[in-house]
């Protein structure tokens, strides 16, 4: 026995007995057998459902088929088999730009230099015309009086 920094004696951990070692070996083999059985069911369900079911739906379907299994087990086995359900939401980007390569040349040959100082671009004229058109179509807002004035009551 050796001493640890706090002054107490450290005791070595007890070794596993042969019985517990046998139990671990047999349970490990049992797990691999059930895993193989479940893998076949999971793969079959996944294919039957157009390869769209994820771990949660496969787990629910197995429960309906009265096969008791933990959801984490289904997730583990699906990961091992390389199966994945349909992903909703944001699409996965398949192309990633290479920052080391230079940008491609401009194939349209656009000129981004002004010919003179304070020159306006063609888009400026288009935007101005659009703004004027929208302003002209703005509905006319009448001013509504909150109370009647004396001139309105006297005339009416």
């Amino acid at each position: 026995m050796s001493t640890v920094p706090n002054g107490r004696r450290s005791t070595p951990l007890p070794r596993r007995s042969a019985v517990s070692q046998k139990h671990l070996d047999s349970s490990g083999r049992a797990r691999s057998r059930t895993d193989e059985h479940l893998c076949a069911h999971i793969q079959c369900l996944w294919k039957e459902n157009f390869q769209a079911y994820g771990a949660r739906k496969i787990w629910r379907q197995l429960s309906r088929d009265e096969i008791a299994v933990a959801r984490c087990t289904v997730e583990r086995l699906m990961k091992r088999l390389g199966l994945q359900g349909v992903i909703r939401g944001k699409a996965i980007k398949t192309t990633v730009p290479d920052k080391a390569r230079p940008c491609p040349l401009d194939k349209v040959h656009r000129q981004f230099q002004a010919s003179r100082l304070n020159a306006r671009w063609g888009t400026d004229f288009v935007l101005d015309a659009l703004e004027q058109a929208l302003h002209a179509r703005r509905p006319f807002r009448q001013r509504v009086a909150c109370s009647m004035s004396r001139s309105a009551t006297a005339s009416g």
Side-chain angles (χ1 to χ4, degrees), residues 32 37 44-45 53 82 87 102 125 130 144 151:
S32 64
H37 178 69
C44 183
L45 282 174
Y53 272 17
I87 298 172
F125 291 114
L130 179 64
V144 179
S151 60

Side-chain angles (χ1 to χ4, degrees), residues 10 30 35 63 86 98 111 124 146:
S10 65
D35 281 359
S63 298
V86 173
D98 185 10
Q111 299 296 321
D124 292 341
C146 294

